[in-house]
């Protein structure tokens, strides 16, 4: 069966996810925070296993205009729920409404649930409530500008949960966001890569996974594994193919540094969990002591502390000044630094080639890009 599918991602990352979906062999259409595509059961498994920058993959059951609760009820009831949900399905419904006449989310949720129960009871010739003792199908009704979209979440816990991160530092970057930061650079696997403020190691780990072509969802489970219409073999085949596609023997030069020895231990532990214990070199090192070889053409990506809390901005800006002194004149390295301090360039002492606005969770950040000189 062909499904209408939808990948969601953080604002600002749509183009990256769209490129990933095209690379998987699907045509896509991009919208704010969403990329639409179509495919069969294998497409659902592939997207979940392979997408590095997305949050979730959903099946679109239907879309229609709803400005009254009657329209919502009838619209939901008209959809082919019996094609997806067996009689004993448990189907929790989440409701969201933005800039719409039907703005009460609890009511939207309750009416959607009632309409689906009504539909299934009719199709399966049941009276009253349904048992909901079977597998879970997480549903969402989302109304945006009076258009209701009904989806089934195939992912479960968000795709950023790769399964390797057992220990986190303070304010850790989500894995899919870290992957996006790397994919926005000009790095390719034969170049050295450095993260000078590595924290729990997420950026180097995501770089190594990408460099070795290891699918990020290889180690985890997904909600769709419980769906009646998904044969278990589908996921197994996709994971087997992904294992075959990985280039485990490729030599990479990836390093992560941090001032805090405890963070270096955590980073090493996480890398080991990801199967990359031998691939990445982590070392305790202060930014001001970090000398990089400007004869090499490399890439540096850093997510330094933002100084968001009171009294921390001065410390953060001192670090930015040190970074400027150590990395500012590395003309053969492309340097990419993410921070919520929009005055960053002043402290760093150099003007960025390009700035890109990204949301790290709810925090507005800028990705300051200092490109290497062109090679002749």
């Amino acid at each position: 069966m062909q499904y209408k599918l939808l990948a969601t991602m953080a604002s600002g990352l749509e183009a990256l996810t769209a490129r990933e979906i095209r690379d998987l062999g699907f045509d896509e259409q991009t919208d704010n925070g969403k990329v639409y595509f179509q495919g069969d059961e294998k497409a659902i498994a592939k997207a979940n296993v392979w997408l590095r920058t997305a949050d979730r993959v959903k099946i679109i059951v239907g879309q229609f205009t709803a400005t009254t609760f009657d329209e919502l009820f009838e619209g939901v009831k008209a959809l082919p729920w019996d094609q997806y949900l067996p009689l004993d399905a448990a189907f929790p419904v989440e409701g969201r409404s933005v800039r719409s006449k039907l703005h009460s989310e609890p009511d939207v949720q309750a009416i959607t649930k009632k309409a689906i129960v009504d539909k299934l009871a009719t199709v399966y010739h049941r009276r009253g409530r349904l048992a909901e003792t079977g597998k879970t199908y997480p549903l969402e009704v989302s109304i945006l500008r009076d258009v209701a979209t009904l989806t089934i979440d195939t992912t479960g816990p968000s795709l950023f949960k790769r399964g390797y991160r057992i220990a986190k530092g303070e304010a850790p970057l989500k894995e899919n966001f870290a992957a996006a930061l790397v994919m926005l650079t000009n790095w390719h696997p034969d170049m050295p890569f450095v993260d000078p403020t590595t924290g729990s190691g997420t950026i180097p780990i995501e770089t190594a996974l990408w460099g070795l072509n290891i699918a990020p969802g290889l180690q985890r489970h997904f909600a769709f594994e419980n769906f009646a219409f998904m044969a278990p073999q589908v996921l197994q085949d996709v994971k087997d193919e992904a294992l075959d596609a990985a280039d485990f023997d490729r030599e990479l030069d990836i390093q992560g540094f941090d001032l805090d020895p405890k963070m270096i231990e955590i980073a090493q532990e996480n890398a080991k969990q990801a199967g990359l214990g031998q691939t990445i070199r982590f070392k305790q090192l202060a930014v001001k002591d970090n000398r990089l070889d400007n004869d090499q053409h490399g890439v540096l990506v850093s997510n330094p502390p933002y100084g968001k809390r009171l009294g921390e901005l001065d410390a953060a800006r001192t670090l930015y000044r040190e970074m400027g002194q150590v990395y500012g004149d590395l003309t053969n390295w492309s340097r990419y630094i993410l921070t919520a301090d929009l005055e960053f360039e002043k402290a760093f002492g150099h003007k960025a080639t390009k700035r890109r606005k990204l949301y790290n969770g709810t925090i507005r950040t800028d990705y300051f890009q200092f490109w290497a000189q062109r090679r002749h």
Side-chain angles (χ1 to χ4, degrees), residues 66-88:
T67 54
T68 66
F69 285 122
D70 275 351
E71 282 179 349
L72 179 65
F73 184 89
E74 293 304 332
V76 172
K77 191 178 170 182
L79 296 175
W81 293 106
D82 47 305
Q83 283 183 21
Y84 301 97
L85 306 180
L87 175 59
D88 65 350

Side-chain angles (χ1 to χ4, degrees), residues 45-67:
K46 269 175 87 165
N48 275 291
V49 168
W50 276 104
L51 291 180
R52 295 180 197 280
T53 57
D55 286 324
R56 356 188 121 257
V57 178
K58 300 174 179 183
I59 295 169
I60 300 173
V61 180
Q63 267 182 327
F64 54 86
T65 303
T67 54

Side-chain angles (χ1 to χ4, degrees), residues 51 54 110 131 187 201 209 263 284 314 332 361:
L51 291 180
W187 182 76
L209 290 175
M263 291 317 297
Q284 184 199 354
D314 288 347
N332 283 337

Side-chain angles (χ1 to χ4, degrees), residues 35 43 70 88 100 112 129 142 170 205 238 279 309 346:
V35 178
D70 275 351
D88 65 350
S100 298
T112 299
R129 294 181 62 124
S142 160
E170 262 185 66
I205 291 170
V238 166
T279 310
R309 288 199 284 266
K346 224 179 268 180

